[in-house]
Amino acid sequence: MKQLVGRLAGQVIDVPFSATEAAQINGTAVRATDDEVLAAGHALNPEIVPADRMTLPAGYSLEPTEVGGFDLFDAARLRLNQEPHPNIADAISAAHDHLAASVLVPVCDVGFVQLPTSTAQIPTITLDDYRFDELDEGGFLVFDPAGVPIQEEAFENEDVAYDVAREHFAASRGKTLEELDAEEAAAGAGDLATVPEDWRSLHHTQRRALAQKIKGEPVANTAEADEVIEEYVTRPR
């Protein structure tokens, strides 16, 4: 696309289709001509690399609905579903189907449109929205924010369940687990952790998140998390 604003104004840049679509709708870019694309050193028919269907494509987003399930939005904040998707995996699959179809459709030049800015708070999914149920016969079931089990079989212990939930949560954000870890570490850099007096009564997911904030990097399991918090609260001030 050809950028119209900012330090790259007037230049032809190569970006994902979803970003191109959003930029044209917002009036910050236009579709470049074939001559402009070639002059900028780009190929007219670039190789399309298959996307990882386990993660949400860049530009797409999910939001939990009030009646359960998830709404899927493209990069231009257009809702793509009529009925909520029952779970995150189904929504991610629909996003990939939409992306694959859109790549085959030429983008038309559109007039400049100023989209209204919404002041509404967009719901944010966090790891705390996942539910962990301990079974009487042993093991744990993990439910995503829509209340759908991640898998039918129980996980052997809470640490395994937590790690799988984090992977699932990362995928819902269109990220790998490593990218999520880096994002959380950067967000918490320089923050002072506040440890409640009854921290041992917190859910193990909350204790691990608290320990990660104290340590500045993910902890291996709940036992390590408890050690990190214990050392932190008993550390001379």
Side-chain angles (χ1 to χ4, degrees), residues 115-191:
L115 296 180
T117 301
S118 173
T119 57
Q121 182 67 34
I122 298 175
T124 301
I125 301 172
T126 70
L127 193 60
D128 289 339
D129 295 319
Y130 286 73
R131 193 175 88 242
F132 297 77
D133 285 359
E134 185 172 7
L135 304 178
D136 293 337
E137 61 272 23
F140 289 81
L141 285 179
V142 182
F143 298 82
D144 69 15
V148 178
I150 291 181
Q151 69 176 38
E152 294 183 3
E153 297 80 12
F155 297 100
E156 59 185 20
N157 59 59
E158 63 181 13
D159 290 329
V160 173
Y162 177 83
D163 290 338
V164 173
R166 277 185 58 79
E167 273 193 86
H168 192 276
F169 173 58
S172 75
R173 302 275 308 281
K175 299 178 182 295
T176 64
L177 192 54
E178 290 74 17
E179 290 171 336
L180 179 65
D181 289 340
E183 178 186 88
E184 292 178 345
D191 290 348

Side-chain angles (χ1 to χ4, degrees), residues 188-201:
D191 290 348
L192 294 177
T194 301
V195 181
E197 292 185 3
D198 61 343
W199 65 267
R200 290 187 181 278
S201 65

Side-chain angles (χ1 to χ4, degrees), residues 20 22 26 32 43 49 51 59 86 97 110 123 139 146 170 184 208 210 228:
T20 302
N26 284 318
V49 179
D97 291 342
V110 297
E184 292 178 345
R208 287 185 65 163
L210 180 57
V228 170

Side-chain angles (χ1 to χ4, degrees), residues 189-234:
D191 290 348
L192 294 177
T194 301
V195 181
E197 292 185 3
D198 61 343
W199 65 267
R200 290 187 181 278
S201 65
L202 296 175
H203 191 271
H204 65 89
T205 61
Q206 295 173 300
R207 302 205 304 276
R208 287 185 65 163
L210 180 57
Q212 177 174 320
K213 187 173 184 180
I214 293 171
K215 190 175 181 182
E217 60 185 36
V219 294
N221 50 51
T222 305
E224 182 185 351
D226 291 343
E227 291 177 3
V228 170
I229 300 172
E230 179 71 29
E231 189 277 334
Y232 180 79
V233 298
T234 57

Side-chain angles (χ1 to χ4, degrees), residues 2-11 13 23 26-30 112:
K2 183 176 181 180
Q3 189 72 11
L4 298 178
V5 299
R7 61 185 179 84
L8 297 179
Q11 296 187 34
I13 57 177
N26 284 318
T28 61
V30 294
F112 294 168

